[in-house]
């Protein structure tokens, strides 16, 4: 039995989605169990029904560019209900960036100039190509785990995949 490197966990999310907020509990648990050995990558799958989700995805990418992507993503998911109620999603996102100590002015410019549009579009296209229809969805070791209908048992399935990979 060897300690093989763990496969990367892709977390496909819509940052205006309450179910994705709930999935943070699983992500935190996995990070506690596996630490830095588990690479978690945020992948964007903004749903059309969520009017600010696309801008939120771009804002998250800008936060990653500023070195604070997961902090921004988690704060945003914790306030996804507030984002849903916001009349101007971009203003909300810029304000949140400022609250977290990110460069809010640069966040505003990034949302205006669309510098992260290609990343979000590419994620969305890839998600559709691999059959993602809802969020949250996880992709790990070639397996897609859909949490859009129910997240029950997903963490246990991910742990099983990770432990099998670690043992191989």
């Amino acid at each position: 039995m060897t300690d093989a490197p763990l496969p990367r966990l892709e977390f496909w999310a819509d940052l205006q989605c309450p179910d994705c907020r709930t999935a943070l509990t699983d992500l935190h648990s996995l990070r506690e169990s596996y630490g830095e050995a588990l690479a978690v990558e945020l992948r964007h799958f903004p749903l059309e029904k969520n009017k600010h989700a696309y801008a939120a995805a771009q804002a998250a990418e800008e936060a990653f560019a500023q070195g604070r992507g997961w902090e921004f993503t988690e704060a945003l998911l914790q306030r996804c209900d507030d984002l849903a109620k916001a009349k101007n999603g971009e203003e909300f996102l810029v304000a949140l960036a400022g609250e977290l100590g990110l460069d809010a002015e640069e966040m505003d410019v990034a949302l205006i100039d669309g510098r992260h549009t290609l990343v979000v579009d590419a994620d969305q296209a890839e998600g559709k190509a691999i059959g993602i229809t809802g969020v949250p969805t996880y992709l790990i070791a070639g397996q897609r785990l859909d949490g859009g209908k129910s997240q029950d048992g997903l963490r246990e399935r991910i742990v099983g995949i990770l432990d099998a990979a670690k043992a191989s």
Side-chain angles (χ1 to χ4, degrees):
M1 190 157 91
T2 64
D3 271 349
L6 294 176
R8 182 184 71 216
L9 175 65
E10 293 181 13
F11 174 55
W12 291 79
D14 171 320
L15 300 181
Q16 193 180 323
C17 170
D19 290 335
C20 292
R21 173 182 55 211
T22 303
L24 286 177
T25 302
D26 287 340
L27 288 179
H28 290 155
S29 176
L30 292 165
R31 284 181 176 151
E32 285 176 22
S33 297
Y34 297 96
E36 295 296 316
L38 177 62
V40 179
E41 180 182 359
L42 176 65
R43 301 297 301 271
H44 302 287
F45 200 77
L47 303 173
E48 287 182 24
K49 69 180 183 175
N50 294 328
K51 64 181 177 179
H52 303 305
Y54 193 86
Q58 292 181 72
E61 284 300 311
E62 177 56 30
F64 276 105
Q66 292 186 31
R68 310 253 312 271
W70 278 110
E71 180 183 354
F72 181 84
T73 297
E74 291 193 23
L76 181 54
L77 281 169
Q78 293 299 339
R79 295 183 56 191
C80 66
D81 295 332
D82 296 334
L83 176 60
K85 294 174 193 167
K87 288 185 176 161
N88 186 321
E90 287 82 3
E91 283 181 10
F92 179 91
L93 296 163
V94 169
L96 179 61
E99 288 172 25
L100 295 173
L102 281 96
D103 185 336
E105 186 176 317
E106 193 63 25
M107 176 70 71
D108 189 36
V109 171
L111 290 170
I112 291 167
D113 71 18
R115 68 182 73 158
H116 302 293
T117 301
L118 291 177
V119 171
V120 177
D121 287 349
D123 275 4
Q124 198 163 38
E126 183 180 339
K128 288 177 182 176
I130 63 173
I132 293 176
T133 57
V135 288
T137 294
Y138 303 93
L139 189 66
I140 183 164
Q143 296 185 50
R144 189 181 73 228
L145 307 172
D146 298 317
K149 292 191 170 92
S150 172
Q151 295 176 65
D152 293 340
L154 284 183
R155 181 179 353 161
E156 292 77 13
R157 288 178 61 198
I158 292 168
V159 166
I161 293 167
L162 290 170
D163 288 348
K166 195 174 180 181
S168 65

